[in-house]
Amino acid sequence: ALYGAAVLPQTYCMSMAFDTPSTAQIALVLVQLVSGFVLVMADLIMRSLEQTQQAASLLVWVYRLLLPPFNFGEGLLAVSQNFYVALLTGKGQPLLAPDVLGRPMRFNLMLAAGYLLLLWLLERREEIGKLASSLCGRRRAEKRAVSDLVSAHSGQVAGQGHRRR
């Protein structure tokens, strides 16, 4: 459920970059496939190689913070690992433990909120632009009024001059 809540607004936001629905469909299916399967496997391989462990530890946070399919794939992998660890050693963790589904679910919950906010902003960009223009216009008018007052006041002061007694 959290995967769907995160990936739907993400996909809709990304689809706005395309001109035709068919191109968007194909490109976004590839993005979801790569981020949900290929990057999960690449991360697993990079973490197992000593030369790439440091890069993997940095890249995983980029994937987690941007890609709901990565979190979903990471969660599926963690569930299967947890099952086999429990089967072989009898020391499995609860499914909602952070190392199993807890972390991927939290990230997808945060991504759902973030992508929904981004989607709302994108859908309302014209109204937000008009509001920003309106606010900037008011500020310019206020600055102009203050500037006019200062000019008028300094003109009065200059016109009076200094009178000597």
Side-chain angles (χ1 to χ4, degrees):
L2 290 175
Y3 168 72
V7 81
L8 287 174
Q10 178 210 29
T11 303
Y12 187 42
C13 289
M14 292 171 68
S15 72
M16 292 180 186
F18 297 92
D19 294 329
T20 60
S22 59
T23 305
Q25 177 77 26
I26 292 166
L28 294 175
V29 165
L30 287 174
V31 166
Q32 303 305 329
L33 179 67
V34 166
S35 63
F37 178 72
V38 175
L39 290 179
V40 172
M41 291 298 114
D43 177 62
L44 183 65
I45 292 166
M46 288 176 70
R47 281 190 283 148
S48 66
L49 301 173
E50 189 176 326
Q51 302 90 338
T52 58
Q53 285 176 350
Q54 188 175 5
S57 66
L58 295 173
L59 286 172
V60 73
W61 289 102
V62 173
Y63 304 152
R64 287 176 181 159
L65 292 171
L66 293 175
L67 303 168
F70 180 84
N71 293 320
F72 182 73
E74 190 178 43
L76 287 177
L77 187 62
V79 167
S80 64
Q81 287 174 339
N82 187 55
F83 172 78
Y84 286 109
V85 165
L87 185 68
L88 296 173
T89 66
K91 297 181 180 179
Q93 297 182 42
L95 283 180
L96 295 179
D99 291 338
V100 184
L101 286 177
R103 183 179 38 234
M105 288 176 70
R106 279 194 308 266
F107 275 107
N108 273 348
L109 180 62
M110 291 185 304
L111 286 173
Y115 282 122
L116 281 170
L117 176 63
L118 177 62
L119 178 59
W120 183 82
L121 291 170
L122 288 171
E123 287 291 328
R124 302 285 183 249
R125 65 183 172 258
E126 288 181 22
E127 290 118 3
I128 292 169
K130 288 177 185 176
L131 177 64
S133 296
S134 169
L135 291 174
C136 289
R138 283 188 208 146
R139 287 193 180 137
R140 274 189 231 119
E142 289 170 359
K143 284 182 181 179
R144 204 173 311 118
V146 168
S147 177
D148 291 345
L149 284 172
V150 169
S151 299
H153 182 66
S154 62
Q156 289 174 352
V157 170
Q160 290 178 354
H162 295 317
R163 295 184 186 164
R164 294 188 183 179
R165 294 184 190 184

